[in-house]
Amino acid sequence: MEGERAPLDPMIFTTEELSLIADAKFFCAKARIMKKVRATLDVLYAELKNELHGVELLAPRSFNPKAHQFVKGEHLEEFPYQYLDYFKHFEGDNKFTFRSLFWWGHHYAFALILEGEGLSQYKKNLVNRYDKLADKGLSLCLGGNPWEWKRGEGYTMELTWERKVDLVALLSNRSFLKLARFVTYDDPAVAVGKIVDVGRATLQDLVPVITP
């Protein structure tokens, strides 16, 4: 029909795509960056262990305080990623973990993920100790499952004093609790190598939710 554009031939590359294909430096740079990310997570793992030394956690009964994992992949919504789970507990419907995630093209995320055993107490702690968490750049994640990592309107609600009433209403219907701090790549902490400090500080800020 006149005025309609013919569909693009899937075998024809655009000018932008051809430029990317010809760029021999990109994947070398990507490999260097991913090594730096892993080195960052290695240091963060050591720092988080020190942070939790001697801390009593309200953990599930079969929780192993030494359990952790490093994961690297290419397809978190088509973008490369790496993450550290420490501490780490996944057993049936029970989830009790602190995840430090690097998501290419998006942000770092440091998230406490809680589901199953102990959830009602974690929710009570969040509300009763809200003075220790409010207005610190932390967010309640609103996705329908714990593995949604987007931020912003519809995905997260910042924990501010003004939103406490909203928080209480939201918590009543949630089958899991995910609290996170997001750090975009234009944040100075990333450029000057302070992201480990941000991860450690995030755990410090969230510990009141998971301690007696």
Side-chain angles (χ1 to χ4, degrees):
M1 185 179 295
E2 187 177 350
E4 289 187 355
R5 298 178 64 183
L8 293 176
D9 188 325
M11 295 184 292
I12 297 177
F13 296 105
T14 66
T15 301
E16 181 183 9
E17 289 168 343
L18 289 171
S19 176
L20 291 170
I21 292 170
D23 185 355
K25 297 179 180 179
F26 174 78
F27 281 102
C28 293
K30 176 176 177 285
R32 290 196 307 271
I33 290 168
M34 295 301 265
K35 286 179 181 178
K36 289 181 179 181
V37 171
R38 175 54 192 264
T40 299
L41 294 178
D42 284 337
V43 175
L44 179 59
Y45 171 53
E47 292 292 328
L48 296 180
K49 284 197 297 182
N50 289 337
E51 191 64 38
L52 289 179
H53 181 72
V55 176
E56 181 183 357
L57 300 176
L58 287 172
R61 283 163 288 186
S62 56
F63 173 68
N64 175 4
K66 296 182 179 180
H68 66 284
Q69 67 176 353
F70 292 91
V71 175
K72 177 181 178 182
E74 293 292 326
H75 298 291
L76 179 52
E77 298 191 15
E78 302 308 319
F79 290 88
Y81 65 94
Q82 289 191 56
Y83 66 78
L84 161 68
D85 281 345
Y86 176 78
F87 40 92
K88 170 184 171 285
H89 178 84
F90 299 111
E91 184 178 72
D93 293 331
N94 293 329
K95 297 177 180 65
F96 183 82
T97 195
F98 184 73
R99 176 166 294 185
S100 303
L101 169 76
F102 167 88
W103 189 13
W104 192 288
H106 294 78
H107 43 243
Y108 273 101
F110 302 97
L112 181 64
I113 300 170
L114 306 167
E115 186 175 11
E117 186 179 334
L119 182 62
S120 61
Q121 185 60 54
Y122 304 141
K123 290 180 178 180
K124 289 177 183 177
N125 285 351
L126 174 57
V127 174
N128 294 337
R129 300 170 181 175
Y130 198 65
D131 59 311
K132 298 181 179 180
L133 293 101
D135 296 319
K136 290 189 173 182
L138 299 168
S139 296
L140 173 70
C141 296
L142 305 175
N145 66 74
W147 317 124
E148 172 60 69
W149 294 99
K150 294 187 181 74
R151 61 187 287 269
E153 187 68 29
Y155 294 103
T156 54
M157 185 191 78
E158 190 168 350
L159 300 181
T160 63
W161 273 112
E162 292 77 9
R163 303 303 298 271
K164 186 175 182 180
V165 173
D166 298 328
L167 171 72
V168 173
L170 286 168
L171 286 179
S172 62
N173 295 321
R174 298 202 65 78
S175 61
F176 67 91
L177 181 59
K178 181 179 176 183
L179 305 170
R181 174 174 285 131
F182 298 90
V183 183
T184 56
Y185 296 129
D186 59 357
D187 189 296
V190 180
V192 301
K194 297 293 185 182
I195 199 68
V196 168
D197 296 337
V198 176
R200 185 178 64 244
T202 303
L203 180 59
Q204 290 174 344
D205 291 337
L206 292 172
V207 156
V209 177
I210 52 172
T211 49

